[in-house]
Amino acid sequence: MNDRARVPFALVGVLLLVSSTTLTATVGTEAPTDRPSVDRVMDGATAESVTALRGAADEAATEAAASPVTRPANTTAGRALNDSQPFRDALRLRLYLAARERLAPVAVERGGVTATASLPPVEPTTGGYREAIERVTVERAGADEAALRVTVENVTLTATRNGRQVAETERSPTFVVANPALLLHDRTERFERRATAPVTDGGVARRLTARLYPIAWTRGYAQHGGAPIANVVGTRHVELATNDALVAEQRAVFGAADPDGHRGVAAAGRRVATTDALLGAGGDKAWVDAVLRGADEVRPAGSATRPVGTWREEPPAAEVPVGVNRSADHAYAAVVGIDGGDGLSHRIDRAHTVEARVDVSVDRRGGHSSGRRSPGSGWTPVDERRETTVSLVATGGAADDRAGWKTRRTRGFDATETTTVTRTWRRGNRTRTTVETSERRYRVTVAVRARTVPIDDVSSGRLDGALAVATDRATDEAFRESGGFRTAARTAVADGWEPTTATATAERTVSLADARGDLRRLREATRNHTVRLPAPAVGAGRANPPARLRESLADRREELLGPSAPSAVARARRAVRAAYLDALATELDARAAEQAETNAGIANALGERLPADRLDGALAAHRAARRPDSPHLADPAGNLSLAVDTGPSYLTTGPVARDRIGARGGGEVTPLATRNVNVFTSPHDGVAQSIVDRIPYLGADRVALSTAASALRAADETPGTDTATLDREVESATAYVRGELVAAMVDEGVSETAAREALETDAGTAEAALALANGTTADRAAVTVADSEAERDRLRVRLRTTLDEALTEEGARPPRSATTPIPEDLRAEYSDELQTMTSDALEAELAEQRERVLGKRLGALPAGLPVAPVPGYWYATANVWYVEAGGQYERFVVRADRGGPAGAVAYIRDGRTVRVGPRNVRLGTAERVPVRVSTAVVVVVPPGPRGVGDTDGVADERSSGWPP
């Protein structure tokens, strides 16, 4: 028994007995009599009535806790309770009825005067019960709010002498009672809210997610590594994690948890950790016995080992590393011309190209006009002749550089533009001629300028040194095109000026071989560039790794470009690197767009079962699983010590007798029901395929070669499976891809015979297809036929890019109709065999039996969703389990030990009907405490043929009691 509260509550009791009482007199009448005697007797009656009321309040609160009303009955008394606070109203009614009963015998006599106390009677109607409730006010009080502050209105004190009334008054005493009934109710209500709260809020659902995460993650990685695991997340894992979450929530809310519940979690955790139910069907009698008996038989005394359900270590690979990988090859191929035009030569030449132009600036300095414009009124113009001449006087002068352009030559002029206009006029038969002359003076500057051709991310270069000859050629050509200084000046004054331009390219200071070598080094540096993203976010479609790679490389761009300098060599190097980085950014942008389509498909698939906000809450709980829980409340009610007792202490998914768990009634109950749905059972099921189909060129009726080959390999390891059709389709797709690679090798100068021999293999159809699809065969062929490292590198890149493109073609993708039936048949067969294995035993021989009979076959089946379905960019396989659990405690008891003669107060929720008063009227029901949670668990593993997911043929796994 926890006795931490004994001394404090004893002290509280003493204080309350001597504390002042608030009394409000509302009506007072008395006959003339001996005033001192009446006052003394009324004071005595007041003290007696408060003592009686205090006892009534403590008794009512204790009874209300033992039979709490959480749902009002549809009865006369039940309808008097407010639906929003039925427990408090029931307590107030109980208190009023107990107060009337306790006040009835109160009688105090002083000097021949007798005083009595009373409360108005309660009419047995809804209105009458409501009036009684409203005469009582109850609220939590005390430093820890573990006591009750009570006010009772309309207490009538009456004084009589010789049977004749001499005085009467109404009072409303307020007093405090050391009873924690309201505290116990509020804490239990809080626990109930958190046991049914969505995963977006704090509570059991979030704790469940945090506990399932490391279990699913560890088992998923084990399956990916080859362990014979058919069911990554099973019923017993959900059961165990739910119970551990409930025990943790009890401790957080009450400061204590049911010790039998803790031992049950330990027992279940130990059994799952050592023998691990893979079917997770639940309901085995041996399992129920084990978890309800506790952990003593399965856990050595004093062992500090934490059960699996309370794992808190950070799960391995909580983040997914995503690299540039083959995108680097595609960008490199685009720049050096492996896949088409030679962009490398263009960039080198551009870095050695000088651009020149002739600029003319014209500044007007003044002018004047002479002559007549018109001979007078009435004359009509009939002819006009205009003549313009420009005269130049050389003045020398210079021109400044402009915005990157360097002035190479310049000449200045004073220009005079003379315009003579001769007009002929007529009036009647007469004609007349007028002459008008105007002069305008200008300062004209002609400049021949040059610059290195601008290149993004490359600084301007020097025009001398390696580019001196090209600079002279360009400026000479531009000058010739302009016609010379005087022609340019006259043209600018007379007609305006459009700059004349010319370019010239110097001999390369950087060879193609050197440029390719530098790009190879940059390619490898960027190929190994990675970003790390939260694995659950990747698997749930909440992250876009290629977009993050693009952003991350943009942040490193200046570093990757290398030093900036004006020399031709440095500019060529940066120009080539900039071209590669631009091509890589384009490649990653394309990948990001495809990833966005994949993410949208994942969101659609998961949204059918879990709203977006709930999924975000589950991902937040994943992150919480990596951090230790906040410290538990050691004493949530101040000096009051609470204890929790539940029935059953551990909610099993199998049936249990009511009498075994101390529950009311007979027969059996199933305390907990669970359901978990594996969303992506395989890469070619309907859900996964609908996501892959969002990438347009992948096609809706075909599957990836690697997926079909993995299914074929699993079938090959199961004797008696008919694989003829799938074998033919995989062989055909392999031949198509091999043919594309042969053609690429021939283009690179390899003989067709040598190319075919380099791509051949002695492996079976499935293994050969897998080696071809993952690039192993292509890399081996490049090493086989090429003589030098440079040739091997070029051929390897050519084959990788050709492979990526070929795998997207229809000829390289076997029909879905030939692929899907085999894995589905194998899963059904495995499910039947697993059911047979576990029908007679709990787990003792299951692991050995399963590994002997099904281990290799189960590990061969592919599962999960390739997060990046585009060939060449597969960086992870993900799966999602949608998990639900529902049930209730048949009995939920919270006890508060007050110490001393007051004894404990027990708050009991067990579904009983609550009655009250001398008429035994029905008030409502003490509802059982429910559990309702739903969440999602995301597991992400590295790429590989196995993937991750349930391969036992049961995608929608439900315990025997589902739905709850």
Side-chain angles (χ1 to χ4, degrees):
M1 176 68 72
N2 192 326
D3 59 1
R4 289 183 294 165
R6 293 181 183 276
V7 173
F9 261 84
L11 292 175
V12 170
V14 172
L15 291 173
L16 293 176
L17 288 173
V18 299
S19 64
S20 62
T21 302
T22 301
L23 301 174
T24 303
T26 57
V27 179
T29 61
E30 60 180 66
T33 185
D34 183 6
R35 186 72 250 171
S37 297
V38 172
D39 289 343
R40 287 197 304 272
V41 76
M42 294 295 264
D43 289 343
T46 298
E48 288 286 338
S49 62
V50 170
T51 300
L53 291 174
R54 201 185 300 278
D58 189 55
E59 173 190 341
T62 301
E63 291 178 353
S67 298
V69 176
T70 59
R71 187 179 71 227
N74 187 21
T75 61
T76 301
R79 287 189 292 272
L81 307 183
N82 191 320
D83 288 339
S84 65
Q85 54 173 28
F87 176 81
R88 279 172 163 74
D89 282 3
L91 169 60
R92 293 159 69 190
L93 180 58
R94 282 182 182 275
L95 200 154
Y96 188 84
L97 295 175
R100 286 198 76 246
E101 184 177 347
R102 290 290 188 104
L103 288 177
V106 170
V108 177
E109 193 272 331
R110 298 283 191 277
V113 179
T114 301
T116 59
S118 64
L119 282 168
V122 179
E123 291 188 21
T125 64
T126 297
Y129 289 123
R130 189 64 212 172
E131 287 178 2
I133 291 169
E134 290 175 352
R135 293 188 187 115
V136 178
T137 302
V138 179
E139 60 185 2
R140 289 171 60 177
D144 52 16
E145 293 193 325
L148 302 179
R149 178 178 289 107
V150 180
T151 299
V152 181
E153 299 177 0
N154 305 126
V155 176
T156 302
L157 300 177
T158 304
T160 60
R161 172 177 288 166
N162 299 324
R164 184 173 59 88
Q165 178 176 316
V166 296
E168 183 180 272
T169 186
E170 267 191 12
R171 292 178 176 173
S172 300
T174 297
F175 50 90
V176 176
V177 180
N179 192 298
L182 273 182
L183 169 78
L184 299 182
H185 172 73
D186 290 347
R187 288 298 172 92
T188 305
E189 289 282 285
R190 179 186 176 194
F191 176 82
E192 180 179 341
R193 287 193 301 272
R194 293 176 67 84
T196 56
V199 71
T200 49
D201 301 337
V204 173
R206 178 162 289 190
R207 293 181 186 274
L208 166 66
T209 312
R211 284 151 175 78
L212 277 179
Y213 179 45
I215 295 174
W217 199 271
T218 302
R219 290 174 57 75
Y221 258 71
Q223 182 193 53
H224 176 262
I229 293 177
N231 200 8
V232 175
V233 177
T235 294
R236 286 180 187 161
H237 304 129
V238 179
E239 174 192 305
L240 167 62
T242 302
N243 277 276
D244 189 39
L246 287 166
V247 168
E249 195 62 47
Q250 290 174 22
R251 190 176 294 110
V253 172
F254 301 106
D258 186 342
D260 289 338
H262 180 77
R263 287 191 289 270
V265 168
R270 182 61 178 266
R271 284 186 176 268
V272 167
T274 55
T275 59
D276 201 13
L278 295 186
L279 269 184
D284 304 83
K285 184 176 184 301
W287 172 268
V288 174
D289 290 343
V291 296
L292 292 184
R293 275 199 303 267
D296 295 339
E297 66 183 67
V298 296
R299 185 176 183 182
S303 171
T305 303
R306 299 179 68 86
V308 69
T310 55
W311 285 342
R312 294 293 179 276
E313 297 85 0
E314 181 175 341
E319 294 180 327
V320 173
V322 182
V324 172
N325 302 334
R326 299 257 278 272
S327 292
D329 294 328
H330 286 266
Y332 178 81
V335 173
V336 303
I338 292 177
D339 288 341
D342 186 359
L344 185 60
S345 294
H346 172 72
R347 278 296 176 122
I348 295 174
D349 287 341
R350 189 172 177 82
H352 289 80
T353 299
V354 176
E355 181 180 15
R357 76 180 186 186
V358 176
D359 293 325
V360 182
S361 63
V362 179
D363 183 17
R364 185 172 178 178
R365 294 301 179 90
H368 68 275
S369 298
S370 62
R372 297 177 63 189
R373 179 176 181 82
S374 170
S377 62
W379 292 89
T380 302
V382 295
D383 184 47
E384 179 180 293
R385 287 172 294 157
R386 182 181 298 269
E387 181 180 355
T388 300
T389 61
V390 177
S391 62
L392 299 173
V393 177
T395 62
D400 297 332
D401 296 336
R402 285 188 182 177
W405 292 88
K406 301 293 184 181
T407 300
R408 305 292 292 181
R409 307 177 205 173
T410 184
R411 184 72 59 84
F413 301 94
D414 283 337
T416 302
E417 181 186 38
T418 303
T419 302
T420 301
V421 181
T422 302
R423 299 181 180 88
T424 300
W425 305 81
R426 176 174 294 164
R427 186 172 67 180
N429 294 325
R430 299 174 61 190
T431 61
R432 182 173 292 184
T433 300
T434 62
V435 178
E436 180 185 10
T437 302
S438 62
E439 290 186 355
R440 294 183 177 86
R441 298 186 300 278
Y442 302 92
R443 173 63 55 84
V444 182
T445 303
V446 182
V448 183
R449 296 186 172 96
R451 67 176 181 181
T452 53
V453 172
I455 304 173
D456 290 342
D457 294 315
V458 178
S459 63
S460 298
R462 291 196 300 264
L463 298 174
D464 55 0
L467 301 185
V469 174
T471 301
D472 291 342
R473 292 206 326 264
T475 53
D476 288 347
E477 179 64 23
F479 187 71
R480 282 194 299 271
E481 288 291 326
S482 70
F485 288 123
R486 288 183 172 275
T487 299
R490 285 191 177 94
T491 301
V493 170
D495 302 317
W497 183 252
E498 288 292 332
T500 59
T501 61
T503 60
T505 301
E507 291 185 7
R508 296 173 182 172
T509 59
V510 177
S511 69
L512 281 173
D514 289 343
R516 289 194 188 101
D518 184 57
L519 271 193
R520 281 198 296 272
R521 291 186 289 273
L522 179 60
R523 181 193 69 199
E524 294 310 306
T526 54
R527 180 201 300 283
N528 297 325
H529 180 82
T530 61
V531 294
R532 303 185 69 86
L533 297 167
V538 172
R542 288 294 193 271
N544 191 318
R548 285 288 300 277
L549 280 171
R550 171 77 166 81
E551 295 167 2
S552 179
L553 283 172
D555 293 339
R556 290 187 58 197
R557 185 176 179 90
E558 190 60 33
E559 168 200 342
L560 294 170
L561 285 171
S564 177
S567 69
V569 173
R571 294 183 75 249
R573 183 174 182 269
R574 275 182 69 101
V576 168
R577 286 182 161 236
Y580 168 78
L581 293 176
D582 290 342
L584 182 56
T586 299
E587 182 71 18
L588 291 174
D589 282 341
R591 282 178 57 183
E594 290 163 353
Q595 182 67 57
E597 289 293 332
T598 299
N599 287 351
I602 294 174
N604 290 345
L606 301 185
E608 294 179 2
R609 299 189 179 277
L610 199 67
D613 62 329
R614 299 289 179 92
L615 179 59
D616 289 338
L619 296 180
H622 284 315
R623 294 189 290 272
R626 301 169 55 191
R627 302 190 298 269
D629 284 351
S630 57
H632 294 302
L633 296 173
D635 199 358
N639 290 320
L640 185 65
S641 182
L642 307 181
V644 179
D645 178 20
T646 61
S649 54
Y650 180 101
L651 301 182
T652 65
T653 53
V656 59
R658 287 182 183 274
D659 57 2
R660 180 173 185 176
I661 59 176
R664 301 171 66 247
E668 291 182 335
V669 295
T670 301
L672 186 70
T674 66
R675 179 190 185 192
N676 73 87
V677 180
N678 187 200
V679 180
F680 308 117
T681 56
S682 70
H684 45 70
D685 66 10
V687 179
Q689 192 64 32
S690 69
I691 295 172
V692 174
D693 293 345
R694 298 178 74 92
I695 310 303
Y697 53 77
L698 295 185
D701 59 346
R702 293 181 175 269
V703 300
L705 177 57
S706 59
T707 298
S710 296
L712 179 60
R713 185 175 63 175
D716 286 342
E717 294 171 354
T718 305
T721 305
D722 182 8
T723 62
T725 300
L726 182 57
D727 194 287
R728 285 194 303 272
E729 295 294 347
V730 171
E731 178 60 41
S732 174
T734 301
Y736 176 86
V737 175
R738 191 180 289 119
E740 294 295 300
L741 297 181
V742 168
M745 294 172 74
V746 171
D747 285 346
E748 291 294 321
V750 181
S751 70
E752 183 174 348
T753 300
R756 291 191 180 279
E757 289 177 353
L759 293 170
E760 289 297 334
T761 177
D762 295 332
T765 302
E767 296 297 337
L770 288 171
L772 190 64
N774 64 28
T776 303
T777 300
D779 289 347
R780 186 189 69 242
V783 173
T784 301
V785 301
D787 296 328
S788 67
E789 180 57 37
E791 291 175 353
R792 279 193 293 271
D793 181 79
R794 179 181 174 87
L795 184 56
R796 186 184 299 113
V797 172
R798 177 69 182 269
L799 292 180
R800 285 174 178 170
T801 56
T802 300
L803 175 64
D804 290 345
E805 293 171 3
L807 288 172
T808 66
E809 300 295 332
E810 183 174 320
R813 298 171 60 78
R816 183 178 175 188
S817 59
T819 307
T820 306
I822 288 180
E824 291 179 351
D825 291 344
L826 291 178
R827 284 184 171 84
E829 179 183 343
Y830 298 168
S831 180
D832 293 341
E833 293 190 46
L834 285 168
Q835 292 283 0
T836 301
M837 285 182 196
T838 55
S839 60
D840 299 323
L842 175 61
E843 298 288 342
E845 303 121 9
L846 177 58
E848 181 181 346
Q849 233 184 98
R850 184 183 62 249
E851 187 166 358
R852 184 180 67 253
V853 178
L854 293 175
K856 188 175 181 182
R857 293 155 60 190
L858 284 175
L861 268 177
L865 172 73
V867 177
V870 181
Y873 308 119
W874 182 15
Y875 49 79
T877 299
N879 221 319
V880 181
W881 283 263
Y882 172 69
V883 177
E884 295 177 277
Q888 64 183 11
Y889 288 99
E890 292 297 306
R891 188 189 75 259
F892 194 95
V893 183
V894 186
R895 291 186 175 85
D897 183 5
R898 296 186 288 176
V905 176
Y907 180 90
I908 305 172
R909 297 271 294 275
D910 58 2
R912 73 180 62 193
T913 298
V914 180
R915 299 180 181 275
V916 69
R919 294 184 175 84
N920 202 28
V921 296
R922 185 160 61 94
L923 272 183
T925 305
E927 296 172 296
R928 295 180 175 88
V929 174
V931 176
R932 293 286 187 279
V933 291
S934 64
T935 187
V937 179
V938 183
V939 177
V940 178
V941 299
R946 292 185 180 88
V948 62
D950 294 344
T951 58
D952 61 353
V954 183
D956 188 343
E957 183 182 350
R958 309 181 185 197
S959 67
S960 57
W962 187 267

